[in-house]
Amino acid sequence: MTHQEKHFTGSELLRDIVIGMSDGLTVPFALAAGLSGTVKDVNLIVIAGLAEIAAGSIAMGLGGYLAGKTEQDHYNSELKREYEEIEAVPEKEREEVETFFAELGLSRELQQKAAAELITDKDRWADFMMKYELGLEKPDARRATKSALNIGMSYIVGGLIPLMPYFFVNDGLEGLKISAVITIICLFVFGYFKSRLTGLNPLLGGVRVAVIGTIAAGCAFAIARLIGG
């Protein structure tokens, strides 16, 4: 009988999509809702919405790129330091390797043999210390660029959903009603599948995301109405 692993491994892609889609669905929705409370010209709402989506996707994508570069720079810095320690204090570094094997329950003899085999290759030794001493996995060299594109595109897709109804109506409030229904449904579906992939209660996750988006849009609409009189 073949055993199939059911662990979810696309955590980085999922994280990028969640970041982009959650903000993309919520921020333009709240902006359009706020404008609908005071602006009669639907074209102005559409233009403002598209401008926000463009600016938001660039800002979010840049944030993802910088986060990816920071992760990569941190890893490279720690790897360089690890090589320096292997050169400067090899016996101490070897003891740390043996300690790791000891914590796995290996006998003293096996600890020494395993450590002796591992340290014959300095690259393998450094990679081992990075992973098991510092808990750092080697990041994808293209991670920063991938993250920027994933987050930026997810933001655009998410942002166009609440804005689309305004392309087909002549009244802001009418567009808001249609947009609210579509966006709340999308927020729920998005939250449902996000929670399902991450092992959380999908119904609760869907409701939570939908409620947050609705509150944000409702507050924006109320504030715009209050200020606009």
Side-chain angles (χ1 to χ4, degrees), residues 29 179-190 206 209-211 213-214:
F29 180 38
S179 177
V181 173
I182 294 174
T183 306
I184 290 172
I185 292 173
C186 289
L187 284 167
F188 175 82
V189 172
F190 170 71
V209 172
V211 168
T214 303

Side-chain angles (χ1 to χ4, degrees), residues 94-156:
R94 175 172 177 159
E95 288 177 6
E96 291 177 354
V97 174
E98 292 179 359
T99 299
F100 171 80
F101 289 126
E103 292 174 351
L104 292 181
L106 273 63
S107 67
R108 180 61 180 167
E109 181 182 2
L110 285 178
Q111 294 168 32
Q112 294 176 338
K113 286 183 178 180
E117 177 67 23
L118 178 69
I119 66 175
T120 56
D121 185 327
K122 288 185 179 180
D123 292 334
R124 183 172 60 190
W125 188 357
D127 288 341
F128 179 89
M129 299 302 288
M130 290 292 291
K131 184 173 183 179
Y132 295 106
E133 180 190 19
L134 302 179
L136 296 176
E137 294 281 355
K138 185 176 182 179
D140 184 350
R142 297 175 295 173
R143 170 61 186 155
T145 303
K146 288 180 180 178
S147 182
L149 291 175
N150 291 338
I151 293 175
M153 292 305 297
S154 297
Y155 190 95
I156 292 173

